[in-house]
Amino acid sequence: METIDPALLLSAYAQGLFPMADAADDPSVHWVEPRLRAILPLDGFRLSRSLKKVVTGEKFRVTTDRAFTDMVALCAEPADDRPTTWINPVIKASYDRLFRLGHAHSVECWQGGALVGGLYGVTLGRAFFGESMVSRARDASKVALAHLVARLRAGGWQLLDCQFITPHLESLGAIEIPQADYLRRLYSVLAGGAAAGGGAAGAGAGVAGLPSPPFVAGDWGALDALGAAALGEDSATGSPPGYVIAQLLTNTS
């Protein structure tokens, strides 16, 4: 199976680009650099009362990196509200390679042994680039995103890229900024600095040069350690109890 070289793919992310196909059956891939970019500030996730109840009520069994290939395949499946997707075989194979190299992760939601939702994305330094999310059960993608934000906060990440704004993401705290402002944030994070605040950067400010690797990485497993401490043992699900997630998301100090 043809794939995008992992080094090329990561270099593209470091420059604010990402690949897409026009359709799931389109054999070609093109690079995208949106004029406006969606991000979700990690201290700005909106945990509504109803969502908090779902998270703490353990409606789903949440795992991470247990079914990456299946998660990408689920995201690629057509649905009533999304008859076609941009995830073609080249995209699937390319991200599977990144996963095996430790540069891609998934968060999965399960009900009765069935995979009913979740998300996957790419990690580079302390930036996480969300690729796709899916729900086959009500609130599954929201719960997966809540677990992701908690994991990124626990592990020291500083930027969560959502690519394009949607009403769903906006309701959870995502904002839209110009691509130049996004690149300033991204380069700052990759260079080891902190991401800029929630608002747009000053008009007319230039974009600094692309930092060079290696980049300081976040700790994907830090949340699992918190879960083990909360339970007094290793977490059986690969993610801590919902009340731990809720505490992380409501603690903005």
Side-chain angles (χ1 to χ4, degrees), residues 1-252:
M1 170 61 65
E2 178 187 355
T3 64
I4 304 169
D5 180 76
L8 174 61
L9 192 48
L10 292 176
S11 176
Y13 276 99
Q15 298 174 70
L17 305 169
F18 54 88
M20 295 184 72
D22 287 332
D25 58 356
D26 183 351
S28 62
V29 171
H30 58 273
W31 297 103
V32 179
E33 184 180 20
R35 184 176 62 86
L36 295 173
R37 196 78 173 228
I39 64 169
L40 203 165
L42 293 174
D43 61 354
F45 182 81
R46 294 176 186 158
L47 184 68
S48 66
R49 288 186 179 182
S50 59
L51 180 55
K52 183 177 180 180
K53 185 176 181 179
V54 174
V55 170
T56 58
E58 307 291 348
K59 178 180 179 180
F60 304 102
R61 182 171 68 92
V62 181
T63 61
T64 179
D65 293 346
R66 299 289 180 87
F68 181 87
T69 301
D70 293 338
M71 177 53 61
V72 176
L74 187 64
C75 288
E77 288 180 1
D80 291 341
D81 61 342
R82 189 173 59 175
T84 186
T85 74
W86 50 268
I87 304 173
N88 69 357
V90 174
I91 296 286
K92 290 179 183 178
S94 299
Y95 287 92
D96 194 57
R97 286 185 70 183
L98 278 190
F99 173 69
R100 294 197 301 270
L101 292 170
H103 280 288
H105 295 286
S106 58
V107 177
E108 307 99 8
C109 291
W110 307 82
Q111 275 187 330
L115 182 62
V116 296
L119 56 86
Y120 76 95
V122 172
T123 181
L124 185 64
R126 292 183 177 175
F128 189 92
F129 309 88
E131 279 298 308
S132 188
M133 59 195 302
V134 63
S135 271
R136 293 292 183 263
R138 183 174 180 177
D139 296 323
S141 64
K142 291 182 180 179
V143 170
L145 187 59
H147 275 254
L148 173 67
V149 172
R151 185 168 291 276
L152 298 182
R153 289 186 60 171
W157 267 263
Q158 297 171 340
L159 178 65
L160 172 52
D161 169 38
C162 301
Q163 296 182 347
F164 301 107
I165 198 73
T166 66
H168 178 62
L169 287 170
E170 192 171 21
S171 72
L172 295 168
I175 61 174
E176 193 173 47
I177 61 175
Q179 178 74 354
D181 294 342
Y182 170 77
L183 289 176
R184 274 188 287 273
R185 295 165 186 260
L186 174 61
Y187 292 176
S188 176
V189 168
L190 294 180
V207 176
L210 175 66
S212 299
F215 306 122
V216 177
D219 182 359
W220 186 255
L223 185 64
D224 300 321
L226 291 177
L231 294 171
E233 59 186 14
D234 289 340
S235 173
T237 66
S239 204
Y243 71 85
V244 176
I245 301 300
Q247 287 174 353
L248 276 169
L249 294 178
T250 53
N251 178 15
T252 57

